[in-house]
Amino acid sequence: MVDFNFFITSNYRKLTHKKTFTFSAPSNIALVKYWGKKDNQIPANPSLSFTLSNCKTITSLTFTAKETKGISFDLLFEGQPKESFRPKIQKYFERILPYCPYIEDYHFTIDTQNTFPHSSGIASSASGMAAISANIIALEKELVSDKDENYFLQKASFLARLGSGSACRSIKGEMVVWGKTESIANSSDAYGIEFDYEVHPNFKNYQDSILLVDKGEKQVSSTVGHELMFGHPFAEQRFAQAHENIAKLKAIFASGDLTEFIKIVESEALTLHAMMMTSMPYFILMKPNTLEIINAIWKFRNETQVPVCFTLDAGANVHVLYPESVKTQVLDFIANELSQYCQNNQYINDFVGNGVEDLTQ
Ligand code: DP6
């Protein structure tokens, strides 16, 4: 059990100057899905993800010292006031306050932008919460002198998790594991850790083309979906399966076995949606075109033996995953056959990346 008190900062300076930090954080795509959580954003099962490169949030945080204590911030989206984001950020600040009491000493101006279209249906909560957490940790680094880089990395992920669970997997590393599980040393429910085992060249620079099937507002939010895993008839089985799949993937990453990789990744995606369809109330987030794409991928893979597969998030969009070595063939396939199933033929080509970047000037 992790002692969360480890992340409470109690001895800190107060700065009187004004300063702006800027950090970018990428989105990530889970191969083993987080679905179900306990109190305080503790996952019901471990998850494992590829960090992405192109789908990013860039967030600047300006702090100014103030006299009275309390949470105080202004929110901008692409330079313009954005009040609709306020409740989420307010909740985030309230959750991190016990660990970062210094935030009450400052007024913050937070300006954020995404590299992907806002209405694309791509969840920006993972990249957004990771980016703001990286900024908070940059501030903390100026306030304390008794902590090392490893502590700050863990705490950035810990804070991001309090904003949105999957965000803790967007801080550092190409592959990240979040959630205590036997096969991964030092794994934790409190923060994500870099997958630190052998990775076969087949998985280097793995590609992810995100097909934008439906940009509409989701009918059931992830938060509600997680809650529906309470009392779900298949929950225990599912949670156990996630542990097993991480252990299997660890061996697959070492051996480079793409056939086995595909089996696990596609099964995880369909299991996630099976959990939605079998919860009470039940719901379906896939759209007809999600199924068209899945079937087209299966047909193409059968006919060509190209090791391309899919995964899904809590939505209708499809992530098409493939090794860099087959990039040309898969991009042709997407342009010629799959793009017709996307809204306005839109998709985003991404690939595995490394996490947060400091863009402070
Ligand atoms: C299906 O991280 O968005 O994408 O913790 O409530 O913010 P909250 O949920 P969120 O859930 C993501 C669920 C998922 C699977 C995954 O990314 O592991």
Coordinates of all heavy atoms in Angstrom, one line a residue, residues 30 33-35 37 41 125 164-166 169 222-223 226 272 313-314, ligand 1:
A30 N -4.5 3.4 -24.1 CA -4.3 2.2 -23.2 C -4.4 0.9 -24.1 O -5.3 0.8 -25.0 CB -5.4 2.1 -22.2
K33 N -6.9 -1.8 -20.4 CA -7.7 -0.7 -20.1 C -8.0 -0.5 -18.6 O -8.3 -1.5 -17.9 CB -9.1 -0.8 -20.8 CG -9.0 -1.1 -22.3 CD -8.6 0.1 -23.1 CE -8.5 -0.1 -24.5 NZ -8.0 1.0 -25.3
Y34 N -8.0 0.7 -18.2 CA -8.5 1.1 -16.8 C -10.0 1.3 -16.9 O -10.4 2.1 -17.7 CB -7.7 2.4 -16.4 CG -8.4 3.4 -15.6 CD1 -8.9 3.1 -14.3 CD2 -8.5 4.7 -16.0 CE1 -9.5 4.0 -13.5 CE2 -9.0 5.7 -15.2 CZ -9.6 5.4 -14.0 OH -10.2 6.3 -13.2
W35 N -10.7 0.5 -16.2 CA -12.2 0.6 -16.2 C -12.7 0.2 -14.9 O -12.8 -1.0 -14.6 CB -12.8 -0.2 -17.4 CG -14.2 0.3 -17.8 CD1 -15.3 -0.5 -17.7 CD2 -14.6 1.6 -18.3 NE1 -16.4 0.3 -18.1 CE2 -16.0 1.6 -18.5 CE3 -13.9 2.8 -18.5 CZ2 -16.7 2.7 -18.9 CZ3 -14.6 3.9 -19.0 CH2 -15.9 3.8 -19.2
K37 N -13.0 2.3 -10.8 CA -12.1 2.9 -9.8 C -12.7 2.9 -8.4 O -13.9 2.8 -8.3 CB -11.7 4.3 -10.2 CG -12.8 5.3 -10.4 CD -12.3 6.6 -10.7 CE -13.4 7.5 -11.3 NZ -12.8 8.8 -11.8
Q41 N -9.6 8.1 -6.7 CA -9.0 7.8 -8.0 C -8.0 6.6 -8.0 O -7.0 6.6 -8.7 CB -8.2 9.1 -8.5 CG -9.1 10.3 -8.8 CD -9.8 10.1 -10.1 OE1 -11.0 9.7 -10.1 NE2 -9.1 10.4 -11.2
S125 N -8.7 15.1 -21.5 CA -8.5 15.1 -20.1 C -7.2 14.5 -19.7 O -6.5 15.0 -18.8 CB -9.7 14.5 -19.3 OG -9.7 13.1 -19.6
S164 N -7.5 13.2 -13.6 CA -8.2 12.1 -14.4 C -7.3 10.9 -14.4 O -6.0 11.1 -14.6 CB -8.3 12.7 -15.8 OG -8.9 11.7 -16.7
G165 N -7.8 9.8 -14.1 CA -7.0 8.6 -13.9 C -6.0 8.3 -15.0 O -4.8 8.2 -14.8
S166 N -6.5 8.3 -16.2 CA -5.5 8.0 -17.3 C -4.5 9.0 -17.5 O -3.4 8.7 -18.2 CB -6.3 7.8 -18.6 OG -7.1 8.9 -18.9
R169 N -0.7 8.4 -16.8 CA 0.1 7.7 -17.8 C 0.7 8.6 -18.9 O 1.3 8.0 -19.8 CB -0.7 6.5 -18.4 CG -1.3 5.5 -17.4 CD -1.9 4.3 -18.1 NE -2.8 4.8 -19.2 CZ -4.1 4.5 -19.3 NH1 -4.7 3.7 -18.4 NH2 -4.8 5.1 -20.2
S222 N -16.9 8.8 -19.0 CA -16.0 7.7 -18.4 C -16.3 7.6 -16.9 O -16.3 6.5 -16.4 CB -14.6 8.1 -18.6 OG -14.2 8.0 -20.0
T223 N -16.4 8.8 -16.2 CA -16.6 8.7 -14.8 C -17.8 7.9 -14.4 O -17.7 7.1 -13.5 CB -16.8 10.2 -14.3 OG1 -15.6 10.9 -14.7 CG2 -16.8 10.2 -12.8
H226 N -17.0 4.2 -15.1 CA -16.2 3.6 -14.0 C -17.1 3.1 -12.9 O -16.9 2.1 -12.3 CB -15.2 4.6 -13.5 CG -14.0 4.8 -14.5 ND1 -13.1 3.9 -14.8 CD2 -13.6 5.9 -15.1 CE1 -12.2 4.4 -15.6 NE2 -12.5 5.6 -15.9
L272 N -13.6 -4.0 -22.9 CA -14.0 -2.7 -22.3 C -15.5 -2.4 -22.7 O -16.3 -2.1 -21.9 CB -13.1 -1.6 -22.8 CG -13.5 -0.2 -22.6 CD1 -13.4 0.1 -21.1 CD2 -12.6 0.8 -23.4
D313 N -11.3 3.5 -27.2 CA -11.4 4.2 -25.9 C -12.8 4.1 -25.5 O -13.6 3.4 -26.1 CB -11.0 5.7 -26.1 CG -9.6 5.9 -25.6 OD1 -9.0 5.0 -25.0 OD2 -9.0 6.9 -26.0
A314 N -13.2 4.9 -24.5 CA -14.6 5.0 -24.1 C -15.3 5.9 -25.1 O -15.8 7.0 -24.8 CB -14.7 5.5 -22.7
Ligands
DP6_1 C1 -11.6 3.8 -21.4 O1 -9.1 8.5 -17.2 O2 -11.0 9.4 -18.5 O3 -9.9 5.5 -21.7 O4 -10.4 8.8 -14.0 O5 -12.8 9.3 -14.4 O6 -11.0 10.8 -15.5 P1 -11.4 9.4 -15.0 O7 -11.5 8.4 -16.3 P2 -10.5 8.4 -17.5 O8 -10.9 6.9 -18.0 C2 -10.3 6.4 -19.2 C3 -10.8 5.1 -19.5 C4 -10.4 4.5 -20.8 C5 -9.3 3.4 -20.6 C6 -7.9 3.9 -20.3 O9 -7.5 5.0 -20.8 O10 -7.2 3.1 -19.6

